[in-house]
Amino acid sequence: VQSPALGVGPSYRPEEEKPTATVSREVPHENVHVLEQTPQLIALLTIIRDKNTERADFIFYSNRIIRLLVEEGLNHLPVVAHTVTSPVGKDYVGVKFEGKICGVSIMRAGESMEEGLRECCRSVRIGKILIQRNEETSKPKLFYEKLPPDIANRWVLLLDPMLATGGSAIMAVEVLKNHGVPEDRILFLNLIASPEGIENFAKHVPKVRVVTAFVDQGLNEHNYIIPGLGDFGDRYYTV
Ligand code: URA
């Protein structure tokens, strides 16, 4: 199934002035939130999907999308009423976040999202989970986990830029649940998802809230997302 092509730009601009671009498909799951398909987001995604984009640009523009994902993810945490007094002696009725959070990155690619989380949440605790796929059986296997000891009392922002089959992300959620974190206190932040990965994830861990920048067309025979951007970890860290 082809992804939708739409005029990209603000609603007040005439359609004929908006260039047509491939935008994210929508998904019928209440807990899956796709970032607004703004001209900036589409332009950033266009850069990182380009096979000719060199590593320095790949890192810079991926980081900008990661920042958008973190800011949107934080909007899904509960806040309580909070009034402050301004320097001119007037009250401002606002809100504040009350609760504890932590990040958990799925290694290696998820580690690229840690800095974006730190930029928004100073000195945030960050745990790590390493899951790798058995080459023969294609089944994910847990190799390493290091999590904050009080993780059961925290909101968890789970970080992985690419959601392909969903196998690793589902296993990571199971690890968190085994440590006492309820599904509905986990937010999964993701750059590009496949429709198959979204379906699989929503079926197995339906209460986890997903914030993604884009739901792509599908998977190829090697379980790479298409059109995707290739191997995120390689492009961010090595090639
Ligand atoms: N992981 C990646 O880095 N890219 C994909 O396309 C799928 C999984």
Side-chain angles (χ1 to χ4, degrees):
V1 186
Q2 283 298 316
S3 299
L6 287 180
V8 169
S11 58
Y12 56 78
R13 191 151 291 159
E15 280 306 313
E16 61 275 15
E17 285 179 19
K18 296 190 209 173
T20 300
T22 313
V23 297
S24 173
R25 47 176 77 200
E26 290 174 11
V27 283
H29 298 288
E30 214 177 288
N31 284 345
V32 178
H33 306 271
V34 182
L35 291 188
E36 192 186 341
Q37 302 293 290
T38 62
Q40 279 296 304
L41 177 62
I42 298 295
L44 297 171
L45 283 163
T46 305
I47 295 170
I48 65 167
R49 286 175 184 282
D50 185 346
K51 67 176 183 180
N52 294 317
T53 295
E54 59 174 49
R55 202 169 74 90
D57 284 335
F58 185 85
I59 294 170
F60 181 82
Y61 294 104
S62 296
N63 286 349
R64 280 192 55 198
I65 303 175
I66 290 163
R67 180 66 184 252
L68 295 174
L69 286 167
V70 172
E71 295 283 4
E72 176 54 22
L74 295 174
N75 282 331
H76 294 275
L77 301 178
V79 288
V80 294
H82 183 60
T83 298
V84 293
T85 308
S86 81
V88 293
K90 290 289 176 194
D91 282 355
Y92 172 73
V93 181
V95 295
K96 67 174 176 183
F97 171 64
E98 209 171 57
K100 294 198 289 184
I101 68 161
C102 70
V104 171
S105 60
I106 303 180
M107 294 160 75
R108 152 186 74 149
E111 292 173 299
S112 67
M113 303 173 76
E114 294 177 0
E115 205 47 47
L117 179 58
R118 283 213 183 86
E119 284 168 7
C120 298
C121 309
R122 246 180 322 162
S123 71
V124 62
R125 278 157 217 231
I126 295 183
K128 295 190 189 258
I129 293 177
L130 175 63
I131 292 165
Q132 275 176 340
R133 207 167 269 284
N134 181 313
E135 300 268 316
E136 278 147 33
T137 63
S138 197
K139 276 206 172 141
K141 181 169 181 256
L142 176 67
F143 279 87
Y144 173 83
E145 53 171 283
K146 199 80 183 168
L147 302 170
D150 60 348
I151 194 165
N153 302 321
R154 292 178 183 271
W155 285 81
V156 179
L157 287 96
L158 183 63
L159 312 172
D160 195 355
M162 304 297 278
L163 180 69
T165 62
S168 305
I170 292 165
M171 181 171 272
V173 170
E174 295 303 337
V175 171
L176 297 176
K177 285 165 71 176
N178 290 340
H179 282 263
V181 185
E183 258 181 46
D184 59 6
R185 256 197 280 120
I186 302 170
L187 271 171
F188 179 55
L189 304 186
N190 167 257
L191 266 88
I192 301 182
S194 74
E196 296 90 333
I198 289 280
E199 284 307 313
N200 198 18
F201 195 78
K203 185 168 115 199
H204 286 91
V205 287
K207 291 193 195 139
V208 175
R209 204 167 284 285
V210 179
V211 177
T212 184
F214 206 100
V215 181
D216 237 346
Q217 201 173 309
L219 294 172
N220 71 9
E221 66 278 22
H222 305 294
N223 286 335
Y224 273 83
I225 298 173
I226 51 173
L229 48 69
D231 188 301
F232 188 95
D234 280 356
R235 295 192 68 191
Y236 198 96
Y237 288 113
T238 55
V239 294

